[in-house]
Amino acid sequence: MTATTPDAPRRLTVVLGITGGIAAYKAVGVARALVVGGHDVHIVATEGALRFVGRPTLEAISRNPVHTDLYEGVAEVRHVALGQRADLIVIAPATAHTIASLAAGLAGDLLGTTVLASSAPLVIAPAMHTEMWEHPATVANIATLRTRGVTIVGPDSGRLTGTDVGAGRMAEPEVIAASALAVVGPHDLRGRSIVISAGGTREPLDPVRFIGNRSSGRQGVALAQAALARGAVVTLVAAHLDVEPPAGATAIEVETAAELEAAMREQAATADFVVMAAAVADYRPTAVAEGKLKKDDVGESLQLQLERTPDVLAGLARDRRPGQLVVGFAAETEGDDDRLLSIGAEKARRKGVDLLVVNRVGWHEGFGSTTNSVIMLDGAGSVVGRADGDKLSVAHRILDVLAETVPTTHD
Ligand code: CTP
């Protein structure tokens, strides 16, 4: 089993079983999501799976050899070794045949022996035609697996192979990965509620134009994903995200700073943690034109008059309920490390937050990227943590710091 250190997100050994259905090609996405999340992924693919997706693809994505044959690696007792080492087993797609084999406890191939030799949680993502999914044999097998504690993700309804439409489509890869990781925790936020703002607000000039910013919402969405995986009840106040909100979070869509403030204030009234990851407009047009601004009416130059928006974060921190932790973000273009820290420290104190996550942004840095590099400051402006890597690992590190080390400066 994998050791946990307080300074690093938990790296799990995950066995990803891929069986022979057309959805096997989507298993590449599951492997990728797990690898991007920082986990060590070992793929066990059936012969059937390898007819749908190539071994080199799976090896490149998982960064490990792909195992298929029960009679390879006999000297290292591979038929049980993989299962014994696993922290988590995910089977995606799980065909009707695989589900029947699992229910019967068959050990005729490497995936079967791996599952039987393991005490790790098992998560399966069924994929098959609707008739097969609804067949009494499959229904009974699924019921058996559920009683043994197996987690079933999906299937979704939608377009199947050929012209069929119905239940049986494999769940989306990111959903499978996130649901699987949620099973193993850590569940240190179980029962806690967290509201997270993400994305960038847009302030309208007229019905077709707005003043906005380049925030993609990826770090806020990763925080939502990480919090869900750790058992929290998550609300995402979403301002124009480039990515889908995670399944399992309640998403509230907002446009402007004013809408974001109203949604955050309402949600913060009952939340344990409040995280302002959204890039909120600091200024908005003082007047919004009813109709589209026309060049003939405006002339050769256009002067915009803008007014300050409320500082949502400072307001939330000031009015926080007892015990609530408030987290802000600071995206800065300052190149000098010392000055970046002193700007951050001043901002943490000025906004009255418990934690300020500082990151550097620029023309080619920060926004839209899948990785991040952050420094965390407590309410007094002292450095309490750093994180580097994909946004999901950074999110976990922020939650670690939040859950463990942040002194409440407002008591
Ligand atoms: N924020 C907010 N309301 C605003 C502006 C920002 O709640 N009107 C929040 C952001 O969500 C972020 C934090 O404040 O968590 C820091 O935002 P930032 O733009 O770095 O800070 P500002 O106070 O706007 O300072 P600056 O003058 O550096 O822009």
Side-chain angles (χ1 to χ4, degrees):
M1 299 291 250
T2 316
T4 313
T5 67
D7 289 320
R10 188 162 171 243
R11 180 174 161 85
L12 301 171
T13 299
V14 184
V15 168
L16 174 60
I18 306 179
T19 68
I22 178 68
Y25 80 93
K26 288 210 286 183
V28 175
V30 180
R32 192 177 140 66
L34 292 167
V35 169
V36 166
H39 304 292
D40 186 22
V41 177
H42 297 268
I43 292 178
V44 175
T46 62
E47 293 287 355
L50 294 179
R51 289 176 167 234
F52 289 104
V53 58
R55 184 186 293 270
T57 308
L58 297 175
E59 294 195 339
I61 298 292
S62 71
R63 303 176 193 165
N64 277 315
V66 169
H67 305 291
T68 313
D69 191 344
L70 193 52
Y71 300 100
E72 269 173 16
V74 174
E76 64 197 63
V77 208
R78 188 178 296 150
H79 73 293
V80 291
L82 281 169
Q84 288 169 337
R85 276 176 55 209
D87 295 306
L88 171 68
I89 301 182
V90 184
I91 303 180
T95 59
H97 180 82
T98 304
I99 289 167
S101 304
L102 291 170
L106 297 185
D109 62 8
L110 186 60
L111 188 56
T113 57
T114 301
V115 169
L116 284 186
S118 182
S119 56
L122 175 61
V123 177
I124 67 167
M128 66 199 74
H129 281 272
T130 309
E131 295 82 348
M132 296 169 80
W133 175 244
E134 290 176 351
H135 192 282
T138 308
V139 171
N141 289 331
I142 288 286
T144 301
L145 294 179
R146 277 195 211 280
T147 60
R148 283 191 209 139
V150 175
T151 302
I152 321 286
V153 184
D156 293 343
S157 280
R159 190 83 192 236
L160 304 169
T161 322
T163 53
D164 291 6
V165 176
R169 202 166 104 124
M170 190 172 87
E172 288 307 313
E174 295 74 20
V175 174
I176 297 170
S179 312
L181 293 173
V183 171
V184 277
H187 287 126
D188 54 352
L189 298 181
R190 194 198 300 271
R192 313 301 298 276
S193 56
I194 181 165
V195 51
I196 301 167
S197 71
T201 59
R202 293 179 178 177
E203 304 301 325
L205 289 164
D206 69 15
V208 295
R209 303 183 181 92
F210 58 83
I211 298 176
N213 61 69
R214 293 172 51 216
S215 177
S216 67
R218 283 191 168 81
Q219 187 61 71
V221 167
L223 273 161
Q225 251 173 329
L228 282 167
R230 295 164 78 140
V233 176
V234 180
T235 303
L236 190 69
V237 173
H240 309 285
L241 305 179
D242 287 357
V243 286
E244 288 291 312
T250 302
I252 301 172
E253 293 199 2
V254 295
E255 289 279 322
T256 62
E259 285 179 23
L260 184 137
E261 181 181 36
M264 286 303 288
R265 280 200 166 268
E266 190 182 335
Q267 296 303 318
T270 53
D272 296 310
F273 302 100
V274 174
V275 182
M276 279 291 296
V280 185
D282 286 324
Y283 296 90
R284 67 183 158 220
T286 42
V288 181
E290 267 299 307
K292 185 182 168 193
L293 291 168
K294 305 290 286 179
K295 286 191 289 297
D296 281 351
D297 302 331
V298 175
E300 278 312 300
S301 72
L302 169 63
Q303 212 152 18
L304 295 175
Q305 191 170 4
L306 306 176
E307 63 187 11
R308 284 281 290 271
T309 55
D311 189 324
V312 182
L313 176 61
L316 289 168
R318 190 186 52 237
D319 300 337
R320 63 158 86 68
R321 63 197 198 95
Q324 185 178 65
L325 293 183
V326 178
V327 182
F329 273 70
E332 306 291 347
T333 51
E334 175 58 59
D336 179 80
D337 281 352
D338 288 343
R339 278 209 296 274
L340 182 73
L341 282 181
S342 71
I343 291 171
E346 187 279 321
K347 198 171 275 190
R349 290 191 291 265
R350 173 160 49 89
K351 302 232 179 194
V353 293
D354 298 290
L355 187 72
L356 190 76
V357 182
V358 183
N359 72 314
R360 200 171 268 134
V361 292
W363 292 106
H364 307 291
E365 217 177 343
F367 295 117
S369 158
T370 55
T371 58
N372 207 355
S373 174
V374 305
I375 304 170
M376 288 168 264
L377 308 178
D378 67 11
S382 305
V383 176
V384 289
R386 292 174 189 266
D388 254 302
D390 65 89
K391 287 185 171 172
L392 190 58
S393 339
V394 168
H396 273 293
R397 189 68 199 110
I398 294 169
L399 294 181
D400 288 345
V401 171
L402 200 59
E404 292 162 17
T405 61
V406 177
T408 45
T409 50
H410 48 92
D411 287 339

